[in-house]
Amino acid sequence: MSLVSISRRLAESVEKLAFAPPVACVYNPLVYAKRPHELYLERYGAGTREIVFVGMNPVPWGMAQTGVPFGDVAMVRDWLEIVAPVQKPPTEHPKRPIDGFQCARSEVSGTRLWGWARDRFQTPQRFFERFFVWNYCPLSFMLASGTNHVPEKLPAPERETLFAICDDALRALIEEMNPAWIV
């Protein structure tokens, strides 16, 4: 199964879920940032990998903007050379606007991760010969205040349902990539 197929199945499955307060807003960049996300998968996700790095879930100024895990806008645009239209999510939190590749904020963990990859491997192609980066959960959760709400803080029934879906997608990705290590 291709990574695009895995991603589309994951996106469709999590779109069916509902989350109760205190969650006020949920973003699914696999849907509204589908094109840059799928460009990332198509360009850098084919074949097996030695190591797969797994992040938890999108943050407001990273993957939530670009559709790419740890998706600091400048790193995705300038180093990974991915730029594509990003739509608005169906419900947008006023304190966490989705501006896509026009977002002026940087995402610290994305700058660090992709900056390390760039400095160590010089080109994305050299990095992706051995490594791949995936987010376990594709959803970004926000409280009414706009504060990030991590999936671990969801009520047990919501969390267990979500994690079962994410487990299935991660298992499919691992079967496809057959890595020696998962970090």
Side-chain angles (χ1 to χ4, degrees):
M1 176 182 294
S2 75
L3 296 190
V4 170
S5 297
I6 293 167
S7 174
R8 286 180 181 174
R9 187 174 69 196
L10 175 60
E12 183 179 308
S13 296
V14 298
E15 273 294 291
K16 297 174 185 174
L17 301 177
F19 299 94
V23 172
C25 191
V26 180
Y27 288 172
N28 185 352
L30 302 187
V31 173
Y32 66 81
K34 179 180 180 176
R35 190 65 198 130
H37 177 72
E38 290 187 358
L39 281 172
Y40 168 73
L41 298 177
E42 292 163 354
R43 189 174 296 168
Y44 300 119
T48 60
R49 293 295 186 284
E50 180 181 345
I51 299 171
V52 172
F53 293 114
V54 181
M56 186 59 214
N57 72 309
V59 295
W61 315 118
M63 184 175 177
Q65 299 294 332
T66 65
V68 174
F70 293 87
D72 175 72
V73 171
M75 295 304 291
V76 171
R77 181 192 62 227
D78 301 337
W79 192 63
L80 296 177
E81 298 181 340
I82 294 174
V83 178
V86 173
Q87 307 303 312
K88 294 282 189 180
T91 303
E92 188 175 42
H93 195 288
K95 292 186 178 178
R96 298 291 184 251
I98 297 301
D99 297 321
F101 288 89
Q102 284 70 50
C103 178
R105 304 263 317 247
S106 65
E107 199 280 295
V108 175
S109 62
T111 302
R112 286 182 185 148
L113 174 72
W114 296 120
W116 164 78
R118 179 199 59 213
D119 295 347
R120 173 71 175 84
F121 297 93
Q122 283 80 52
T123 68
Q125 293 72 22
R126 287 188 57 207
F127 173 77
F128 287 106
E129 286 174 3
R130 294 183 55 206
F131 303 96
F132 188 70
V133 181
W134 177 263
N135 265 346
Y136 173 72
C137 173
L139 303 178
S140 180
F141 302 94
M142 287 151 278
L143 304 178
S145 65
T147 302
N148 188 44
H149 189 70
V150 294
E152 295 86 3
K153 291 186 178 181
L154 294 170
E158 291 178 3
R159 184 179 62 243
E160 290 164 4
T161 301
L162 172 64
F163 285 6
I165 294 166
C166 296
D167 286 348
D168 287 344
L170 181 59
R171 219 175 347 266
L173 176 119
I174 297 307
E175 287 173 7
E176 186 69 25
M177 296 199 138
N178 195 30
W181 297 90
I182 304 165
V183 179

